[in-house]
Amino acid sequence: MQYIPIFSKLVEEFEKLPGVGSKSAQKMAYYIISADKSVAKAFADTLIEAKQKIRCCSVCQNLTDKELCSICAGDKRNRSVICVVEKPSDVDAIERTRDYNGLYHVLHGLISPMNDVGPDDIKLSELLVRVSENDISEVIMATSPNVEGQATAMYIAKLLKPFDVKVTGLALGIPVGGSLEYSDSITLARAMENRREI
Amino acid sequence: MQYIPIFSKLVEEFEKLPGVGSKSAQKMAYYIISADKSVAKAFADTLIEAKQKIRCCSVCQNLTDKELCSICAGDKRNRSVICVVEKPSDVDAIERTRDYNGLYHVLHGLISPMNDVGPDDIKLSELLVRVSENDISEVIMATSPNVEGQATAMYIAKLLKPFDVKVTGLALGIPVGGSLEYSDSITLARAMENRREI
């Protein structure tokens, strides 16, 4: 069906989605074409509506459909701790632990000179304003333990030095349920280094 | 982000697509929300436009954006042979072989009493009209070699009995590049049964 221009265009749109190859994109396009008209309509409307309604929380930059996200607006949160993450889905991941009760700050990216992303391209100044204007006792850097994540964490820790705030990072070690045998040696070295009394 | 209703709705829309689970759907939704406004707009417009423009060819029922599909409208095709397939993507598969030069007929489904699909729910009467009104020498049943595919082929072959037309089916056997060792015994038995002199 690749010779129908609008069909090819539909396949291309699906291919832009993360994790979708050309085969899957074709299957999706066939699904839309074979399904009832209302399916395509509902899909299109939801895309537009979601994009229109969802914006960044004015405090923590997490996604929300209101002025403040539900975490910033909630009154049961410890407002003196901020957990800094790369993207909104990281907030979901930490919320799923049901173990953290502080606030968040979503950077919407990591500093990466290789990809031409500097400190001004992520929501960093907003974090500094929050720390300077509020009574914050601890900032937890929860960026991913890769090169960009660690570099961003280091950079932010340095910027926060002048403020009277404790800056911490997530513990590195062997994942629960993981096998010692299959752990990479850097992780194992970190786990050994950060061993705790039991 | 599951607590934002329109975000959950967007995730649900993506989950409806074939082969998309909840994790992938979430990733796709995050991609749309993070991307530029024009991305969602272009996607939504394409969905609507594709659904509006693409329809069934009035002759072979394959998808097209015109009255006749490019195969039925082409003048280099052998118009006395019709290959009957289940769905439009099957036409693509056969076209990719560059080995078939006849016309097609897309049933848009298979007879399946289990799923409440009867002969009237697929484009079967259109096939009978074509065979009766045109000078057709052969009908190739190219439905998938599963229960519904075979049953549909048998049913159609019976209906075509009164017409002076040869009804054939695709050969069953070991796939090219396949291994004898890993072939299932039914396929192997068919391959043995249909052996050819070399």
Side-chain angles (χ1 to χ4, degrees), chain A residues 122-142:
Chain A
I122 61 176
K123 307 278 187 184
L124 190 45
S125 55
E126 288 85 348
L127 174 64
L128 298 179
V129 170
R130 278 180 81 181
V131 174
S132 66
E133 287 182 355
N134 297 283
D135 190 17
I136 306 296
S137 64
E138 183 177 355
V139 171
I140 305 169
M141 293 305 311

Side-chain angles (χ1 to χ4, degrees), chain B:
Chain B
M1 226 51 51
Q2 295 302 313
Y3 36 82
I4 306 177
I6 185 66
F7 187 86
S8 314
K9 206 175 148 194
L10 184 59
V11 171
E12 275 167 33
E13 288 295 337
F14 279 117
E15 273 181 340
K16 286 181 195 165
L17 296 173
V20 177
S22 66
K23 274 262 174 184
S24 310
Q26 270 197 36
K27 268 190 196 162
M28 291 171 183
Y30 274 122
Y31 161 78
I32 290 292
I33 298 302
S34 313
D36 194 76
K37 211 179 212 168
S38 63
V39 172
K41 178 86 173 68
F43 197 166
D45 289 350
T46 307
L47 278 166
I48 297 291
E49 197 188 339
K51 192 63 198 166
Q52 269 171 352
K53 281 193 180 168
I54 298 177
R55 50 180 168 162
C56 290
C57 168
S58 59
V59 175
C60 76
Q61 312 299 328
N62 193 6
L63 299 180
T64 178
D65 54 353
K66 303 201 180 61
E67 172 66 22
L68 283 182
C69 76
S70 58
I71 295 174
C72 288
D75 54 0
K76 285 182 180 153
R77 291 287 185 154
N78 178 356
R79 306 199 150 263
S80 66
V81 185
I82 296 178
C83 176
V84 179
V85 296
E86 179 193 344
K87 49 189 191 293
S89 52
D90 295 337
V91 174
D92 291 351
I94 297 178
E95 282 298 286
R96 275 197 298 275
T97 66
R98 294 164 180 270
D99 214 37
Y100 176 70
N101 195 36
L103 302 180
Y104 291 93
H105 189 87
V106 183
L107 294 173
H108 289 277
L110 293 173
I111 299 171
S112 168
M114 289 270 285
N115 300 315
D116 222 15
V117 181
D120 296 338
D121 301 318
I122 62 177
K123 307 277 187 183
L124 190 45
S125 54
E126 289 86 347
L127 174 65
L128 298 180
V129 170
R130 277 180 82 183
V131 174
S132 64
E133 289 181 356
N134 297 283
D135 189 18
I136 307 295
S137 63
E138 183 177 355
V139 171
I140 305 169
M141 293 305 311
T143 49
S144 294
N146 52 30
V147 178
E148 279 108 6
Q150 296 300 72
T152 306
M154 292 297 178
Y155 185 83
I156 293 177
K158 216 171 134 187
L159 287 181
L160 291 175
K161 269 272 163 66
F163 304 100
D164 180 29
V165 58
K166 190 164 85 177
V167 181
T168 57
L170 292 186
L172 294 171
I174 308 157
V176 177
S179 164
L180 216 72
E181 189 180 2
Y182 300 118
S183 289
D184 64 290
S185 46
I186 301 175
T187 301
L188 208 52
R190 290 295 183 99
M192 190 63 89
E193 193 181 312
N194 301 323
R195 67 191 178 276
R196 295 172 49 177
E197 204 169 319
I198 44 176

